[in-house]
Amino acid sequence: TAALGALCGRQRSGVFACAECAGAHQAALRSAGCSNNDISRWCARAAPSAPTTPPPVRWAKGYTFGGSESHPHAGVQTSDGGFLVVGDGVDYQNETVKRHMMVLKTDKDGNAQWQRTFGDNVAGGYNYGKFGIQIPDGSFLIAGAMSTNTQPGTGGRVLLQRTLLHLSGSGSLLQRLSLPNTGWRDNLRDGFMCVALGEDSESVVATGFVGGP
């Protein structure tokens, strides 16, 4: 068993990942004098036990945005210990469905400090936020999709475009970047799913999809 521990060398929270390492170093283990039974017995003793009680829930909150449904998609912790929540809200009005992007900032206890909606001005539009981050100056970047009916050459069609929003620390819109939808003739949708800050803290990387059904 000592040879197994020395050869494994990969430890996670005080427990060797013995099953993985035994497969990778089987020949070395045997040459060191560890039989299969030795390995099995050592693994059984080293296996972590399941926790008996779940961790406590710090808080549980629900939020509404004045519509019929609210759908949070992502939450990240902010520099002040609070949270940024990004998603969408659905509003049913006179058989017309409006789906807007929603952004919420809470304190560390989940109490709402401000909440904003974007993109609910296009009838029949489909707008949502998928992810958000806080950048070093305290402002926020939000990745998602927003509808437009003003893309040139499309005859006023309602289209879904990949969209990034730059919000101030208090949630005011500083800048919007929406990329043209190139598959609109086939009723295809575009959207960003994630955003990250580059290593230089100035560039931005956004990932998503072009031409979704």
Side-chain angles (χ1 to χ4, degrees):
T1 57
L4 174 60
L7 287 168
C8 183
R10 297 177 64 181
Q11 196 171 9
R12 299 173 183 168
S13 301
V15 177
F16 289 109
C18 50
E20 181 180 350
C21 291
H25 306 293
Q26 189 176 59
L29 291 170
R30 286 175 176 166
S31 66
C34 292
S35 68
N36 289 336
N37 288 335
D38 288 335
I39 295 170
S40 297
R41 287 196 296 271
W42 191 89
C43 289
R45 290 198 300 273
S49 58
T52 56
T53 57
V57 176
R58 288 181 56 188
W59 49 263
K61 303 280 186 178
Y63 310 97
T64 60
F65 283 77
S68 303
E69 300 176 14
S70 298
H71 308 143
H73 294 298
V76 296
Q77 194 159 29
T78 54
S79 59
D80 61 358
F83 296 89
L84 177 73
V85 181
V86 179
D88 66 83
V90 184
D91 196 4
Y92 301 97
Q93 296 180 350
N94 300 322
E95 299 183 357
T96 299
V97 179
K98 289 185 177 182
R99 186 182 295 267
H100 50 253
M101 180 189 296
M102 70 175 194
V103 183
L104 168 73
K105 172 68 174 66
T106 78
D107 63 15
K108 63 181 180 61
D109 297 314
N111 301 307
Q113 295 177 311
W114 52 260
Q115 55 190 56
R116 304 284 186 266
T117 60
F118 302 95
D120 54 2
N121 58 328
V122 177
Y126 184 92
N127 310 277
Y128 59 82
K130 279 296 185 181
F131 194 71
I133 60 171
Q134 187 177 36
I135 60 179
D137 67 1
S139 61
F140 302 99
L141 296 177
I142 310 298
M146 296 183 71
S147 292
T148 181
N149 55 7
T150 60
Q151 181 172 310
T154 62
R157 293 270 294 274
V158 177
L159 310 174
L160 198 63
Q161 298 179 331
R162 291 163 288 165
T163 298
L164 289 176
L165 299 185
H166 184 198
L167 306 183
S168 70
S170 59
S172 299
L173 179 63
L174 300 176
Q175 187 178 8
R176 168 180 168 175
L177 172 66
S178 291
L179 302 181
N181 181 312
T182 57
W184 63 272
R185 289 184 177 84
D186 299 315
N187 295 318
L188 299 180
R189 302 188 298 176
D190 296 352
F192 281 133
M193 304 295 285
C194 194
V195 61
L197 201 61
E199 292 183 356
D200 58 5
S201 297
E202 295 183 358
S203 58
V204 173
V205 179
T207 60
F209 62 91
V210 176

